[in-house]
Amino acid sequence: MNVAVVGAGPAGALLALHLARDGATVTLFDASHPREKPCGGGVTAKALALLPEGPAGDPLPGRPVSACRFESGEGHAVDVPLARPVVVASRLELDGWLLRRAIAAGALHVAARVTAVAKGSVTAGGELHSCDLVAGADGAGSLVRRTFLSPTPPARLAMAAGWFAPGAAPMLVRFAPGLAGYLWLFPRPDHVGVGICAPLAAAPTRDLLARLEREVARSFPALVPDDEAGRYAHTIPSPSADAASIREIAGEGWALVGDAAALADPITGEGIYYALRSAALLAETLREDGSPRRYPERALDDFGADLLKAAALHARFYAPGFAARMIRYAARSASIRGVLGDLVLGEQGYVGLKRRLVRAAPRFALESARAVLSAGSGGPR
């Protein structure tokens, strides 16, 4: 099989690696390396499990982080220990590392911009390249998606904006009341990713950046950039609550993975895991069938139900007062902190979230009572 993979981010590089190992002829088109990408760069435990092993001289880049601080934006906060560390990586380094693994497996990297795609061909650098399948891994504005399907609707897009700051900081998520979003600090090996995200229609990008600068100046003044420092902004696509938004991601002679397929968490915007998992599922489907026909249903069966549930819960999750209540409860209860920590790690899905919270309710009540009694007796708060 001859596969053209457009885009060499995590989804495209991992897809190329798997296909090359399976004996396919793989050409990976991307003119943007080396590049930094504006995102937090958090790689959860289940995402780490999908990555290949690197050679001793080229280990996976990243900084392990074992705790996350949550703030409601209304004065409530809780520090949540993580059962397993999250690795926070620069996308320049992570994407470059994965591209090297794909090339080592036998994929050919063509550092030319793709200007057109069609069934059976890709045009890049003025040359026409024939193929059996075009795989779109070219991000939120995917040319492959626009050609074979349609752009992701604006209602399914979030905007993320921010900057990279020298220095250090804790891993922090602060909800942004009134925006249905949050701001973050993600400590990378030699700098901090500082950002904010909200639904595309929530506010103009300049207003998002202004709010981010005000809040960072108030709490972390050392991370405020000067006027010469670069800012970034990009969109994050996600599915709707309708399964059709996932069933549409492949057709005869083409398929989409990662952001091009709009596979990101509608609540958090996390997309690295879904980029990697969708690449692995497409590779498995092509290896078994020689066709992407079953890939959308496999994605639905594997992780799709959780993304659809997240889309359905988005409005409730960001309803006024919800974040403050969640953080207050977590501050009083180790069981609720455990749920919150597993959400960060990607090990607690939305489909089973209500059942787990119901199971945690008796323990939460006991822990809350103990906290009240301790406070009343002058004990630790």
Side-chain angles (χ1 to χ4, degrees):
M1 193 174 201
N2 185 336
V3 181
V5 180
V6 182
L14 189 66
L15 175 63
L17 182 153
H18 283 307
L19 292 175
R21 284 181 174 175
D22 289 340
T25 298
V26 186
T27 307
L28 188 56
F29 296 90
D30 196 317
S32 65
H33 282 271
R35 46 91 188 288
E36 182 59 270
K37 183 177 179 183
C39 83
V43 187
T44 62
K46 67 178 185 178
L48 288 170
L50 296 172
L51 294 174
E53 290 189 14
D58 190 11
L60 177 72
R63 174 179 177 173
V65 178
S66 57
C68 182
R69 182 173 179 82
F70 289 88
E71 297 180 355
S72 68
E74 300 171 344
H76 306 282
V78 63
D79 293 302
V80 176
L82 304 178
R84 290 189 283 172
V86 169
V87 171
V88 183
S90 158
R91 288 296 300 274
L92 184 151
E93 295 179 351
L94 176 63
D95 291 11
W97 183 86
L98 268 169
L99 177 59
R100 291 193 294 277
R101 304 286 77 76
I103 293 170
L108 172 65
H109 175 214
V110 174
R113 187 172 70 90
V114 173
T115 55
V117 295
K119 185 178 176 182
S121 70
V122 166
T123 301
E127 296 185 5
L128 186 69
H129 301 260
S130 298
C131 60
D132 300 314
L133 179 87
V134 178
D138 46 341
S142 170
L143 172 65
V144 180
R145 183 187 182 99
R146 297 197 313 269
T147 301
F148 291 107
L149 185 58
S150 61
T152 302
R156 289 166 48 195
L157 294 173
M159 176 61 71
W163 60 81
F164 303 112
M171 184 173 174
L172 169 76
V173 171
R174 178 184 293 170
F175 292 95
L179 279 182
Y182 63 94
L183 64 87
W184 69 82
L185 304 179
F186 272 50
R188 295 175 171 189
D190 61 356
H191 65 273
V192 180
V194 182
I196 189 169
C197 65
L200 185 63
T205 304
R206 65 178 179 276
D207 291 352
L208 288 179
L209 283 167
R211 179 163 180 170
L212 179 62
E213 291 191 22
R214 289 195 303 272
E215 298 215 21
V216 172
R218 175 167 55 88
S219 304
F220 300 92
L223 301 180
V224 176
D226 58 36
D227 291 339
E228 302 300 318
R231 274 64 162 180
Y232 66 73
H234 73 112
T235 54
I236 303 171
S238 62
S240 71
D242 186 344
S245 62
I246 294 178
R247 288 196 174 101
E248 67 184 7
I249 62 175
E252 186 179 354
W254 63 275
L256 305 170
V257 290
D259 278 1
L263 297 176
D265 186 320
I267 290 177
T268 67
E270 196 281 317
I272 292 178
Y273 169 75
Y274 298 104
L276 298 174
R277 186 59 186 150
S278 62
L281 284 174
L282 177 57
E284 290 172 13
T285 306
L286 294 174
R287 179 173 63 247
E288 294 171 8
D289 301 350
S291 160
R293 183 180 58 83
R294 289 196 303 131
Y295 160 61
E297 288 297 331
R298 293 184 70 167
L300 270 172
D301 291 342
D302 189 274
F303 56 73
D306 217 52
L307 291 181
L308 302 180
K309 185 68 171 180
L313 290 174
H314 183 277
R316 189 181 307 176
F317 189 90
Y318 285 108
F322 179 84
R325 290 195 302 274
M326 177 178 66
I327 290 171
R328 288 200 308 271
Y329 295 160
R332 291 159 52 189
S333 167
S335 58
I336 303 300
R337 288 195 296 277
V339 174
L340 202 52
D342 285 349
L343 283 170
V344 173
L345 293 172
E347 296 179 358
Q348 173 59 60
Y350 298 105
V351 171
L353 180 58
K354 183 177 180 179
R355 290 194 301 273
R356 183 172 175 188
L357 289 173
V358 168
R359 290 198 303 271
R363 183 177 173 188
F364 168 62
L366 178 61
E367 290 168 340
S368 296
R370 286 174 176 169
V372 171
L373 291 172
S374 178
S377 64
R381 294 175 183 266

